[in-house]
Amino acid sequence: MIASDNAVLELIFNPELQGQGFSSLETDTQEKDKYATDIDPKVLQELKQTEQEAIELANNGKLKDALNALNTCISREPAYAPAYNNRAQVNRLLKDNDAALKDLDSAIEKANGQNWILRQAYTQRAILKKQMGDKDGSLEDFQLGAKHGSPIAREIAVSENPYAKMCNQAVMEVMSREFNIQ
């Protein structure tokens, strides 16, 4: 699929982007570099470093140490939304779903409208809600994750949505009839 096809599909799945042009679709890396905050740049760099250390600790199975590092980040700067996303992940690994949900709510609240944070938080919260048996809440969050650009959330939202399933089935039937005629 060529880039313009991807842009058209993005506009179909995210109609609120219409009129903003294709240049408004940014990659995660570009968006992360534009973290919108009033945090002093030096403090922000320190927070990112502490957050990276926490991620490495978690990857090495040192979940309590990772949690402590992320707590330090959040204590130092409560408005730093990415730390809440990562702490939610650590809390999920520690099987503390209530704490994870609270962190994801905080990440969404503090995201300042930034798609890359919202995309991660909504998708992560949707997965957690699904595991906890909240199908409606999960679908709603997958749809919000998709709206903010998560391809995983988009796929799941479409596959879980009963109306989308019916539409997909109808389209497949029409296409199979069309191809059988020709």
Side-chain angles (χ1 to χ4, degrees), residues 36-168:
T37 182
D38 292 331
I39 300 172
D40 176 86
K42 183 179 177 188
V43 172
L44 182 59
Q45 189 59 37
E46 291 170 7
L47 292 170
K48 286 180 179 182
Q49 183 177 344
T50 302
E51 183 184 20
Q52 188 58 44
E53 291 167 8
I55 291 168
E56 289 175 25
L57 287 167
N59 286 336
N60 291 324
K62 299 177 181 178
L63 298 177
K64 292 289 185 180
D65 293 335
L67 188 64
N68 288 335
L70 291 165
N71 286 339
T72 299
C73 252
I74 291 167
S75 293
R76 176 133 192 232
E77 184 50 65
Y80 186 58
Y84 291 94
N85 263 338
N86 287 312
R87 189 170 75 175
Q89 182 63 23
V90 171
N91 279 321
R92 283 182 58 205
L93 293 170
L94 290 169
K95 309 260 187 270
D96 189 348
N97 291 341
D98 291 334
L101 281 174
K102 287 179 187 174
D103 280 339
L104 293 168
D105 291 342
S106 293
I108 291 165
E109 176 187 320
K110 296 170 188 317
N112 229 4
Q114 295 173 96
N115 280 334
W116 71 274
I117 296 170
L118 294 168
R119 161 174 50 246
Q120 291 173 353
Y122 281 123
T123 303
Q124 196 174 174
R125 192 170 76 174
I127 292 167
L128 187 56
K129 284 180 177 180
K130 185 171 184 159
Q131 289 173 346
M132 296 172 74
D134 180 2
K135 290 181 181 181
D136 292 338
S138 175
L139 179 57
E140 183 179 322
D141 279 349
F142 277 128
Q143 290 169 340
L144 289 166
K147 175 183 172 188
H148 291 286
S150 170
I152 294 167
R154 182 179 302 121
E155 275 187 46
I156 294 171
V158 169
S159 71
E160 298 282 320
N161 186 325
Y163 299 111
K165 285 181 184 179
M166 283 187 334
C167 288
N168 286 340

